[in-house]
C-alpha cells in the first residue's frame, strides 16, 4: 500500500527549498544565471506595468516572479539530480521511490556482491523490473526474476529495463518520463492484489542451494523412520 504523506510545516518546506537551491547551484553552473533572469525580467515588466497602469500590477508582478523562479528551480533541480544519480548503485530505485503516483518499489529484490541489482516496481502499468550494474552479470539476475514473477503475476504486463547509456539501455535521466508514458493497464484494486501476491512471494523463505550441511542432515535412524511412514 502507498505510504500516507506526512504533513510538512511551512518552515520545513522553506528549509527543503533552500537545500534544493544549494544542491542545484553546486551541480549546475547555469542555475544561478537562469534564476537571476527569472527574477529580473518579471520585475522589470512589473515596474513598467506599475508606471503605466498603477500599483495594482505590483502583487501580480511579484507572483509572476515567484512562479518563474519555481519553474526554473524545478527544471534545473531535476536535471541536477539525474546527473548526480547517474552511475550510483541503487539510483533507479531511489528515483522511483520519490516519483509522484502509486508506485510500489522494492529495491534490490535480487543482487550480487559486485553491486549489480534488480529492483521490483508495481504500478498501474503492471510489474516493472529495473536492472542496474554490469550488463553481463545483471542479465542473468533479470532473467531469473522474470521467470520467477511470471508464475505469480498472471495476466499483468511485465516490463523490464536495463539502466545505462549503451545501446538498448535506458538512461536514468529518461526513467521517469519512460515509465509515466506506459499505458495504465491495471486498476487500483488490481495493483493492491498484485502487491499482496508479490510480497508473499518475496517473504517466502527459500531453501539454500547446494549440499546439505552435515549438522542439518537427519540421522540414519530418522531417515529409516521417514521412509517407513
Amino acid at each position: 500500500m502507498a505510504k500516507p504523506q506526512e504533513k510538512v510545516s511551512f518552515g520545513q518546506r522553506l528549509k527543503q527549498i533552500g537545500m534544493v537551491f544549494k544542491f542545484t547551484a553546486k551541480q549546475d553552473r547555469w542555475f544561478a544565471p537562469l534564476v537571476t533572469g527569472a527574477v529580473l525580467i518579471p520585475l522589470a515588466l512589473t515596474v513598467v506595468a506599475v508606471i503605466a497602469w498603477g500599483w495594482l500590477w505590483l502583487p501580480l508582478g511579484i507572483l509572476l516572479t515567484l512562479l518563474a523562479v519555481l519553474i526554473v528551480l524545478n527544471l534545473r533541480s531535476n536535471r541536477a539530480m539525474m546527473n548526480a544519480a547517474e552511475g550510483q548503485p541503487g539510483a533507479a530505485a531511489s528515483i522511483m521511490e520519490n516519483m509522484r503516483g502509486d508506485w510500489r518499489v522494492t529495491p534490490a529484490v535480487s543482487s550480487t556482491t559486485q553491486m549489480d541489482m534488480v529492483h521490483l516496481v508495481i504500478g498501474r502499468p503492471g510489474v516493472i523490473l529495473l536492472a542496474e550494474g554490469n550488463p553481463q552479470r545483471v542479465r542473468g539476475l533479470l532473467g531469473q526474476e522474470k521467470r520467477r514473477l511470471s508464475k505469480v503475476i498472471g495476466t499483468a504486463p511485465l516490463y523490464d529495463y536495463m539502466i545505462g547509456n549503451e545501446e538498448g539501455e535506458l538512461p536514468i535521466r529518461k526513467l521517469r518520463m519512460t515509465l509515466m508514458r506506459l499505458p495504465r493497464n491495471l486498476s487500483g484494486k488490481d495493483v493492491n492484489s498484485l502487491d499482496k501476491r508479490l510480497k508473499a512471494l518475496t517473504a517466502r523463505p527459500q531453501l539454500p542451494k547446494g549440499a546439505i550441511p552435515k549438522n542439518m542432515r537427519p540421522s540414519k535412524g530418522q531417515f529409516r523412520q521417514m521412509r517407513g511412514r
Side-chain angles (χ1 to χ4, degrees), residues 21-54:
F21 257 93
K22 291 180 181 178
F23 170 79
T24 308
K26 185 178 180 180
Q27 297 289 332
D28 185 359
R29 63 189 180 93
W30 290 104
F31 177 65
L34 289 172
V35 168
T36 302
V39 172
L40 294 180
I41 293 174
L43 285 182
L45 295 175
T46 301
V47 171
V48 173
V50 168
I51 294 173
W53 297 291

Side-chain angles (χ1 to χ4, degrees), residues 32-212:
L34 289 172
V35 168
T36 302
V39 172
L40 294 180
I41 293 174
L43 285 182
L45 295 175
T46 301
V47 171
V48 173
V50 168
I51 294 173
W53 297 291
W55 290 97
L56 292 176
W57 287 88
L58 182 59
L60 179 59
I62 294 174
L63 290 176
L64 288 176
T65 302
L66 292 175
L67 178 61
V69 171
L70 289 177
I71 290 174
V72 171
L73 176 62
N74 182 55
L75 294 176
R76 303 307 293 189
S77 64
N78 285 335
R79 182 184 180 90
M81 184 180 69
M82 294 301 173
N83 290 336
E86 196 165 10
Q88 298 295 322
S94 178
I95 290 172
M96 290 302 305
E97 288 176 333
N98 289 282
M99 275 183 60
R100 293 181 179 179
D102 188 10
W103 301 97
R104 323 288 177 90
V105 184
T106 306
V109 291
S110 185
S111 61
T112 68
T113 55
Q114 291 86 7
M115 301 303 291
D116 310 301
M117 56 191 72
V118 177
H119 313 296
L120 172 64
V121 180
I122 307 169
R124 294 291 297 275
V127 179
I128 304 166
L129 291 174
L130 304 175
E132 293 184 282
N134 182 280
Q136 301 299 325
R137 294 192 298 262
V138 83
R139 282 195 181 95
L141 296 179
L142 190 58
Q144 292 175 6
E145 285 302 311
K146 289 171 68 175
R147 290 191 294 271
R148 187 170 72 102
L149 295 177
S150 63
K151 303 174 182 178
V152 183
I153 63 175
T155 58
L158 176 61
Y159 303 89
D160 62 275
Y161 297 96
M162 285 280 299
I163 305 298
N165 295 313
E166 301 298 327
E167 185 178 356
E169 298 177 345
L170 177 65
I172 197 165
R173 64 187 61 192
K174 295 183 179 180
L175 176 60
R176 284 184 174 181
M177 188 61 65
T178 299
L179 298 193
M180 291 299 293
R181 288 177 176 176
L182 291 176
R184 299 301 187 252
N185 301 305
L186 304 179
S187 65
K189 184 178 180 180
D190 294 332
V191 172
N192 289 333
S193 175
L194 188 59
D195 188 25
K196 290 180 181 178
R197 294 205 305 271
L198 293 185
K199 280 182 177 178
L201 176 67
T202 54
R204 186 179 303 166
Q206 297 182 355
L207 293 176
K209 296 181 180 180
I212 301 175

